[in-house]
Amino acid sequence: MKIICIGRNYADHALEMNSPLPTEPLFFLKPDTALLKDKDFYYPNFSNDIHFECELVVRIDKVGKHIKAAFAHKYYSHFTLGIDFTARDIQQQCKENGLPWEKAKGFDQSAPISSIWINKNSLDLEKSEFKLFQNGILRQTGLPKDFIFSIDTIIAYVSEFLTLKTGDLIFTGTPAGVGPIQIGDTLSAALNGQVLLELNVK
Ligand code: MG
């Protein structure tokens, strides 16, 4: 399986990163070794500035390529929350030197996700919100209605380039409020008030 991550899908986050708004979806990949489920996160020694980016995650249910946006809803049925951990210091170096982002984004354990999956029929995405708490303090609030590119648009776009396979995950981008983590932190993420993900930084 592969992990597809969308960048700059909320205007407020693009603004806080001093990044221009994208005119088409921007995506990058994390390898399957980035997945972290129900375990603590160990701060890696190659970075001094790991940031959390809480994101709504979509699981692909069906193989597809060249998927039309109008049919994209047939390719997923569940959501959860995840964190796109980012080595911001390394990402900055990569950006300045025009280098790929893998070292900053694709490292081991950089993609914790909840093991609780929410059926899309059980929630109204347009009225949903997710929140990320760091040591109990609210850091991020994401409203999927504020997506620059909808899930269906993202699936249509990405599947022009990559065949989507069952079990692939799409991280749909993070809202404003990203920030650094410290050893000893507890992060928790809730969707519509239900805590789906909790992890300790060690
Ligand atoms: Mg992200």
Side-chain angles (χ1 to χ4, degrees):
M1 56 79 68
K2 55 191 173 290
I3 304 167
I4 298 151
C5 300
I6 306 300
R8 299 175 204 162
N9 202 24
Y10 292 85
D12 58 356
H13 174 61
L15 191 68
E16 74 177 349
M17 299 299 292
N18 292 316
S19 299
L21 289 186
T23 52
E24 54 188 31
L26 180 172
F27 72 90
F28 58 89
L29 302 180
K30 293 187 189 236
D32 57 4
T33 43
L35 261 191
L36 179 67
K37 280 189 188 173
D38 306 317
K39 288 195 187 129
D40 295 325
F41 175 78
Y42 285 84
Y43 204 110
N45 58 16
F46 50 73
S47 172
N48 294 310
D49 197 24
I50 302 282
H51 280 207
F52 54 80
E53 295 189 358
C54 187
E55 309 195 5
L56 187 78
V57 178
V58 180
R59 187 180 69 202
I60 296 296
D61 287 341
K62 202 161 84 164
V63 177
K65 64 185 298 184
H66 303 304
I67 300 166
K68 296 247 185 313
F71 299 111
H73 64 277
K74 296 175 186 284
Y75 289 80
Y76 65 95
S77 56
H78 288 83
F79 301 119
T80 194
L81 293 177
I83 298 174
D84 166 19
F85 275 133
T86 302
R88 198 68 76 199
D89 43 0
I90 296 178
Q91 186 193 33
Q92 193 53 38
Q93 293 166 13
C94 293
K95 282 182 175 175
E96 285 167 10
N97 295 299
L99 297 173
W101 288 8
E102 273 80 355
K103 279 200 307 189
K105 287 285 199 178
F107 55 88
D108 286 357
Q109 306 190 323
S110 62
I113 63 163
S114 170
S115 355
I116 303 167
W117 288 94
I118 308 295
N119 192 297
K120 70 178 176 191
N121 297 324
S122 70
L123 60 81
D124 181 349
L125 208 53
E126 289 293 303
K127 293 181 182 157
S128 293
E129 63 170 18
F130 60 89
K131 292 179 187 290
L132 185 281
F133 299 87
Q134 181 180 30
N135 305 321
I137 299 164
L138 177 62
R139 298 294 189 198
Q140 291 189 280
T141 301
L143 303 173
K145 75 173 176 59
D146 292 341
F147 281 161
I148 296 174
F149 300 106
S150 70
I151 292 170
D152 292 351
T153 302
I154 289 167
I155 287 176
Y157 184 85
V158 172
S159 72
E160 286 299 308
F161 301 91
L162 310 180
T163 299
L164 297 181
K165 296 174 82 173
T166 304
D168 286 352
L169 303 176
I170 302 177
F171 279 60
T172 56
T174 199
V178 301
I181 56 168
Q182 309 293 339
I183 291 172
D185 279 356
T186 298
L187 301 177
S188 67
L191 177 62
N192 296 332
Q194 179 187 0
V195 174
L196 299 184
L197 178 65
E198 202 159 34
L199 67 82
N200 301 307
V201 180
K202 297 206 164 171

